[in-house]
Amino acid sequence: MMYQRTTKRGYPLGEVVSALQKAIRRGDGRSAAYWAIEMTVSNFGAYCFRRMLIVSAEDVWDCATAEVLALQEAWKQITKQSQGRDSGDLFAAKAAILLAWAKKSRDADHAVVLMYERKAVAPEVFEAELEAVRGER
C-alpha cells in the first residue's frame, strides 16, 4: 500500500493542492485562503508557496508573482524567527487571496506549450522572427 500524506485536519495533500489551485482559478478567495492555511499549519508551507508561485505564472495576469515571492520571503522570516512555532499562515492566506482576486490569464502557459512543442506555430514562423531581429541590438 502506498503512503499518502495528509494535512492536520486529515485531508489528502494532493486533494488540498488541487482545491487550492481550483479556488484560485475560480476567484474564490475564501476557499483559497482556507486551503493555503491548511497547508501551512500542516507543515507544508514551502510546498504551498511553490504551488502558488507556479499558479501565479500559469493562471494570473499582471505581476502577482513578485507579490507572492515577497509574501513567501515574509513567511520564511517569520517561521525562522519563531523557530517553527508560527506557521506564517497569514502570509500564505494573503498570497492565496491575492491570486484568487487577480485578473486571470493563461497566456504564458499557452505560450510555453506552443513554443516548446512547436505544433501550433510552424518552424518557418520562428525562423522569420529570428531573421527579423538578427540585425537589431
Side-chain angles (χ1 to χ4, degrees), residues 50 58 130 132 134:
R50 279 195 309 273
E58 281 183 346
L130 283 172
R134 279 198 171 111

Coordinates of all heavy atoms in Angstrom, one line a residue, residues 50 58 130 132 134:
R50 N 5.4 27.1 -3.2 CA 5.9 26.7 -4.6 C 4.7 26.6 -5.5 O 4.8 27.0 -6.7 CB 6.6 25.4 -4.5 CG 8.1 25.5 -4.0 CD 8.9 24.2 -4.3 NE 8.3 23.0 -3.8 CZ 8.4 22.5 -2.5 NH1 9.2 23.2 -1.7 NH2 7.9 21.4 -2.2
E58 N 1.2 30.6 -14.3 CA 0.3 29.9 -15.2 C -1.0 30.6 -15.4 O -1.6 30.5 -16.5 CB 0.0 28.5 -14.6 CG 1.1 27.4 -14.8 CD 0.6 26.1 -14.3 OE1 -0.4 26.0 -13.6 OE2 1.3 25.1 -14.7
L130 N 13.3 35.3 -36.0 CA 14.7 35.4 -35.7 C 15.4 36.2 -36.7 O 16.3 37.1 -36.4 CB 15.4 34.0 -35.6 CG 15.1 33.3 -34.3 CD1 15.6 31.8 -34.4 CD2 15.7 33.9 -33.1
A132 N 14.2 38.6 -38.6 CA 13.8 40.0 -38.5 C 14.6 40.7 -37.4 O 14.8 41.9 -37.5 CB 12.3 40.0 -38.2
R134 N 17.7 39.8 -36.1 CA 19.2 39.5 -36.1 C 20.0 40.8 -36.2 O 21.1 40.9 -35.6 CB 19.5 38.5 -37.2 CG 19.2 37.1 -36.8 CD 20.0 36.1 -37.6 NE 19.8 34.8 -37.0 CZ 19.1 33.8 -37.5 NH1 18.5 33.9 -38.6 NH2 19.0 32.6 -36.8

